[in-house]
Amino acid sequence: MKKKFIYIPLIFIVFLFFADKIFLLDFFKTSFYQEGNPVYYTHRNHLFEKLKNDPSLKEKNLTLAFGDSRAYPYSIKTLPENIQKDWTVYNFSGPQAVPAYGFYWFRKIIQSGIKPKAVFYVVSPEGFVDDSRGLLYEPFLRIGADEEFRQTYWDHFSDSDKLEILKENFFSIRKIRPGFKLFWSRLTGGKLKQYRADQNHENLILELGNGEQLGYASVSNNPKKLAKDALRLKSIYLSGFTLGENEFYFVEEFLKLAKEEGVKTYLIWPKVYPGYRAGYYELGLEKSWWPRIQKLAEAYGASAADMNTLSSCDLYYDGSHQSVLCILEQSEILMNDFTGKKKLP
């Protein structure tokens, strides 16, 4: 009788293995809305379907925006008012998104037969950190990329990223990472329906437009608060920072595809609060990283726009993000170049 108990741990492991496979259902891949950053990545799958079925594309020019959270405000609402009637803007940016995420969606959109007239591709130095930081996998490869992309570009992932993907193949819950605290809160609060797209408040905000997020609005600065925030962010993102090579590859792949398709691309270095921007200069990124971006842009007929020097707007939501009001000016700078009204220097 006692011998039977030695099989209990094995039976439990087998049970967990098969129970785990529920997370392979398409619902968990495309329609499982948790909260915070993962909402954006889930939403973009539905935004893609909306783009493919948008009748306005037949009569209007299309602009696409890609990048990290600093690209959130690019939208039809931030284009110059006098040209808004002629354009449609879709925003596929993502929180903490590396440049590879922009390439992922640009490639997917082009493959679907949709060709934009212009692309705003926001590239932040933090996204080019050495591969050992694991920023390519988390969150992009984990929740932002499909299996086709992961197989196609497998050779360009670090060994640690490959290992994480292999772990997912054994236990799929590692990919979904459901928040059990959130689940319990929603269960006890009778809010399980918030896992659905039409009931998730954060998703509904994104559904108001075409993927943009205009919440980073401020009309004045709080210098003390911004300075403190800049120091905090520098310690998180720029401490021990070293440039990696992988993201340069994905930026080049993006630009190659854009050139082949005749799509005008703007590589944008977003403006941040001076106290945080000083961290870039302390690392010499304006002499190392940015010239490489400029060189890539020149090689493929794109334009590189350093908003730290081009933009005169100095309103900030926090140490890392400008007020959405500044994007009004910056979109005008880009569109003036596109239309030939005033070319970039």
Side-chain angles (χ1 to χ4, degrees):
M1 185 67 178
K2 291 182 179 180
K3 291 182 179 180
K4 293 182 180 180
F5 289 103
I6 67 174
Y7 295 106
I8 291 178
L10 178 61
I11 294 172
F12 181 67
I13 292 174
V14 172
F15 169 77
L16 285 180
F17 179 79
F18 285 102
D20 170 77
K21 301 314 166 192
I22 191 175
F23 293 106
L24 293 176
L25 293 174
D26 188 63
F27 168 75
F28 289 101
K29 295 178 181 178
T30 62
S31 303
F32 182 63
Y33 284 82
Q34 298 198 71
E35 65 178 359
N37 290 352
V39 171
Y40 286 81
Y41 289 90
T42 305
H43 170 264
R44 291 340 188 195
N45 295 300
H46 298 274
L47 184 65
F48 180 46
E49 295 303 316
K50 180 180 180 180
L51 172 64
K52 289 192 292 184
N53 294 289
D54 189 341
S56 74
L57 300 186
K58 297 178 181 179
E59 54 192 40
K60 294 185 177 183
N61 299 315
L62 173 65
T63 294
L64 297 174
F66 304 102
D68 55 24
S69 58
R70 293 165 183 161
Y72 284 170
Y74 284 99
S75 68
I76 192 64
K77 301 176 185 67
T78 53
L79 281 188
E81 192 172 342
N82 63 314
I83 65 170
Q84 288 182 9
K85 66 181 186 302
D86 300 318
W87 290 83
T88 295
V89 182
Y90 275 77
N91 192 312
F92 284 85
S93 60
Q96 297 180 324
V98 291
Y101 184 58
F103 171 60
Y104 168 77
W105 276 117
F106 183 56
R107 175 177 177 264
K108 209 172 184 65
I109 291 166
I110 292 295
Q111 289 175 341
S112 74
I114 297 172
K115 185 187 296 187
K117 286 284 186 180
V119 164
F120 298 157
Y121 190 17
V122 173
V123 289
S124 299
E126 297 90 330
F128 292 74
V129 70
D130 183 80
D131 297 338
S132 63
R133 296 284 187 97
L135 196 58
L136 183 65
Y137 175 78
E138 183 61 53
F140 168 50
L141 291 179
R142 182 173 71 82
I143 56 176
D146 60 20
E147 194 58 31
E148 185 274 335
F149 184 90
R150 300 206 300 187
Q151 291 181 4
T152 301
Y153 295 96
W154 180 261
D155 291 342
H156 295 278
F157 305 157
S158 68
D159 290 341
S160 59
D161 289 342
K162 291 176 181 177
L163 179 59
E164 291 297 327
I165 293 172
L166 292 174
K167 289 177 182 178
E168 289 176 12
N169 294 335
F170 190 73
F171 281 116
S172 56
I173 195 174
R174 292 182 61 89
K175 179 176 177 64
I176 305 301
R177 294 185 189 174
F180 292 107
K181 184 178 180 180
L182 174 64
F183 171 75
W184 182 252
S185 174
R186 287 179 174 177
L187 176 64
T188 56
K191 299 179 180 179
L192 285 177
K193 61 183 180 181
Q194 290 185 10
Y195 283 112
R196 290 167 32 194
D198 62 342
Q199 297 294 323
N200 184 279
H201 296 161
E202 292 175 286
N203 178 65
L204 291 175
I205 291 173
L206 294 176
E207 289 288 351
L208 291 174
N210 290 335
E212 70 270 17
Q213 201 268 74
L214 303 176
Y216 291 163
S218 58
V219 295
S220 63
N221 292 329
N222 183 333
K224 288 184 178 180
K225 182 179 178 182
L226 289 169
K228 184 177 180 180
D229 193 45
L231 286 174
R232 179 183 64 85
L233 293 169
K234 281 173 63 177
S235 68
I236 295 174
Y237 295 109
L238 301 182
S239 179
F241 180 94
T242 55
L243 276 178
E245 291 297 319
N246 222 11
E247 291 304 325
F248 287 105
Y249 166 78
F250 286 111
V251 168
E252 185 166 11
E253 289 300 293
F254 188 113
L255 295 176
K256 281 181 183 178
L257 182 57
K259 184 176 182 180
E260 290 171 3
E261 298 294 327
V263 178
K264 177 60 179 180
T265 299
Y266 290 92
L267 290 172
I268 304 165
W269 185 359
K271 191 172 184 177
V272 296
Y273 187 67
Y276 185 62
R277 185 162 70 245
Y280 293 156
Y281 300 153
E282 289 166 9
L283 292 169
L285 294 175
E286 83 283 7
K287 298 177 182 177
S288 57
W289 171 74
W290 184 240
R292 291 184 64 178
I293 295 296
Q294 290 176 305
K295 187 175 180 180
L296 283 172
E298 183 179 357
Y300 293 98
S303 296
D306 179 3
M307 290 304 173
N308 295 284
T309 58
L310 290 174
S311 174
S312 62
C313 186
D314 278 311
L315 289 174
Y316 301 91
Y317 177 79
D318 59 26
S320 183
H321 300 87
Q322 280 202 288
S323 168
V324 64
L325 298 177
C326 291
I327 306 303
L328 296 168
E329 178 211 35
Q330 292 165 21
S331 292
E332 185 172 13
I333 290 172
L334 298 172
M335 294 310 294
N336 280 346
D337 179 86
F338 181 84
T339 59
K341 184 177 181 180
K342 185 178 180 180
K343 303 301 287 184
L344 290 173

